[in-house]
Amino acid sequence: MGERRRILVTGGAGFIGSHLVDLLLGRPDVEVTVLDALTYAGTRRNLLAHEGDPRFRFVRGDVADPAAVEPLVAEADHVVHAAAESFVDRSIEDPRRFVVTNVLGTQVVLEACRRARAPMTFVSTDEVYGENAPEGRFTEDAPMRPRSPYAASKAGADLLCGAYAVTYGTLVTIVRGTNTFGPRQHPEKAIPTFVLAALDGRPLPVYGRGEQRREWLYVGDFVRAIAVVMERGEPGTAYNIGGGRELANLELAREICRLVGAPEELVTFVPDRPGHDFRYGVAWDRLAALGWRPEVPFEEGLARTVAWYRDHRDWVAEILEGART
Ligand SMILES: NC(=O)c1ccc[n+]([C@@H]2O[C@H](COP(=O)([O-])OP(=O)(O)OC[C@H]3O[C@@H](n4cnc5c(N)ncnc54)[C@H](O)[C@@H]3O)[C@@H](O)[C@H]2O)c1
């Protein structure tokens, strides 16, 4: 029997992290350790399918704590660093938390990877580029002009990855992904907020006039992109993940009403987010050259997502309960 590949996934109890764990454990030759602090955003329930699998292990710990991180990195063949504070609105309320987890936490993971000579893939975001003009597409070489504390903290982490690659030769690849959606996304994020409101017949809160545009990629495609970069990406290189459906937030809310069968009059406007980026937009030719293509059409992904939230109200109640404690 061949050696199994040992992969450490930080933030694996969160939305994207848990889908990545599903993908990786679908392969027979892989072992996965999840390191996650279980903040309001993470729950072991997202990993329930793997409890009891001898190829899966969960460790509760903080990525900004070297004592938690170093021993796990030391025994890993590859690290995917996805743990983060991830919600822009919370970063406007409490930027410090974002600097500690996203910047310091990434430095701690990088340092452990440097010492152990472990390859690492960092899950960054297209928000590091700042907002974009209509139809514009950022390449990976575009300058970073982050505008929210969240985006700035991710840019700091992303730049540290580049610096570790150049200075120490750390084998780090970076993915800068567009907005993603699907089952198990925290209910504070846009699509679950709209879906749950539409299902309950409550108002769908749309920021400003709903003109801001976002590109939505189904989470299954997003985590396949992470895995492709993990396996075939060039160390020291960043890869944009695009290929989603771009639409204005107002169109998105109306589309969800249509899908759920809720009246469009439920869509209501609420005061805009300060410094709300108009749109992002990335060129993803570099990722395409590694052989990745999106596979799940937006309508299909959205229908799956609506069905999942309709059937998992207990999950929603539990994670919202966690957010209060
Ligand atoms: N959701 C998106 O649309 C999107 C798009 C591009 C990039 N990203 C990036 O992808 C990653 C995952 O995003 P998500 O949407 O799954 O976020 P999420 O908030 O659902 O999950 C984050 C996870 O990280 C854990 N965590 C938070 N702080 C931690 C700490 N200090 N130590 C250990 N674990 C900690 C949480 O408990 C949670 O399980 C993030 O790095 C985010 O910046 C997200």
Side-chain angles (χ1 to χ4, degrees):
M1 204 172 73
E3 280 280 292
R4 284 191 192 135
R5 206 147 170 246
R6 294 162 303 177
I7 301 172
L8 175 65
V9 180
T10 73
F15 165 54
I16 292 173
S18 65
H19 283 276
L20 179 67
V21 172
D22 291 347
L23 177 78
L24 294 173
L25 285 174
R27 301 168 178 181
D29 52 345
V30 166
E31 286 178 13
V32 172
T33 297
V34 165
L35 173 65
D36 197 295
L38 298 181
T39 67
Y40 79 94
T43 167
R44 284 190 77 163
R45 200 165 170 161
N46 288 344
L47 297 163
L48 221 51
H50 309 297
E51 297 286 352
D53 182 341
R55 296 183 297 123
F56 170 73
R57 174 172 57 148
F58 179 84
V59 178
R60 187 171 189 177
D62 188 333
V63 288
D65 174 10
V69 171
E70 277 169 9
L72 299 179
V73 170
E75 60 189 40
D77 297 316
H78 198 107
V79 177
V80 180
H81 178 40
E85 288 291 339
S86 67
F87 190 37
V88 174
D89 288 3
R90 285 180 187 260
S91 82
I92 295 169
E93 295 297 316
D94 180 14
R96 182 184 161 80
R97 182 73 251 152
F98 284 67
V99 174
V100 172
T101 287
N102 297 359
V103 184
L104 184 61
T106 301
Q107 189 274 330
V108 168
V109 176
L110 278 166
E111 186 60 27
C113 289
R114 169 169 96 91
R115 289 184 191 190
R117 300 183 195 283
M120 162 178 161
T121 301
F122 174 59
V123 185
S124 186
T125 168
D126 62 359
E127 299 193 30
V128 298
Y129 298 120
E131 67 177 0
N132 205 343
E135 311 304 326
R137 298 261 162 231
F138 289 118
T139 68
E140 291 84 352
D141 299 324
M144 291 190 196
R145 294 198 176 91
R147 290 162 31 97
S148 73
Y150 163 69
S153 70
K154 294 295 289 188
D158 188 314
L159 289 166
L160 276 169
C161 290
Y164 265 71
V166 170
T167 307
Y168 307 112
T170 308
L171 300 172
V172 55
T173 47
I174 299 168
V175 291
R176 298 189 187 132
T178 187
N179 280 53
T180 179
F181 71 101
R184 306 199 294 257
Q185 186 167 34
H186 195 282
E188 70 190 358
K189 302 285 171 60
I191 286 187
T193 297
F194 291 166
V195 167
L196 289 165
L199 287 171
D200 290 349
R202 289 184 281 109
L204 280 69
V206 172
Y207 284 132
R209 305 299 304 163
E211 289 160 345
Q212 284 91 357
R213 304 178 72 76
R214 292 292 178 266
E215 183 180 334
W216 294 100
L217 180 71
Y218 188 67
V219 66
D221 283 329
F222 194 105
V223 299
R224 269 195 316 104
I226 297 174
V228 163
V229 170
M230 197 181 116
E231 279 149 22
R232 304 204 275 279
E234 188 68 33
T237 305
Y239 295 83
N240 289 337
I241 310 175
R245 166 74 57 82
E246 181 177 322
L247 69 181
N249 289 342
L250 179 57
E251 294 173 288
L252 174 66
R254 288 187 173 148
E255 176 73 25
I256 288 172
C257 285
R258 270 196 295 278
L259 203 60
V260 169
E264 279 188 21
E265 292 69 44
L266 286 176
V267 175
T268 52
F269 297 111
V270 299
D272 211 349
R273 167 190 280 171
H276 201 172
D277 289 341
F278 177 67
R279 76 183 279 274
Y280 308 108
V282 289
W284 49 280
D285 317 48
R286 198 179 273 180
L287 177 61
L290 295 184
W292 178 89
R293 296 278 180 289
E295 285 176 358
V296 181
F298 174 73
E299 291 74 14
E300 187 185 326
L302 198 55
R304 279 190 210 171
T305 306
V306 166
W308 189 87
Y309 282 93
R310 184 180 274 136
D311 295 344
H312 290 83
R313 301 308 293 251
D314 50 342
W315 180 95
V316 172
E318 190 178 285
I319 202 154
L320 289 176
E321 188 58 39
R324 277 194 290 274
T325 51

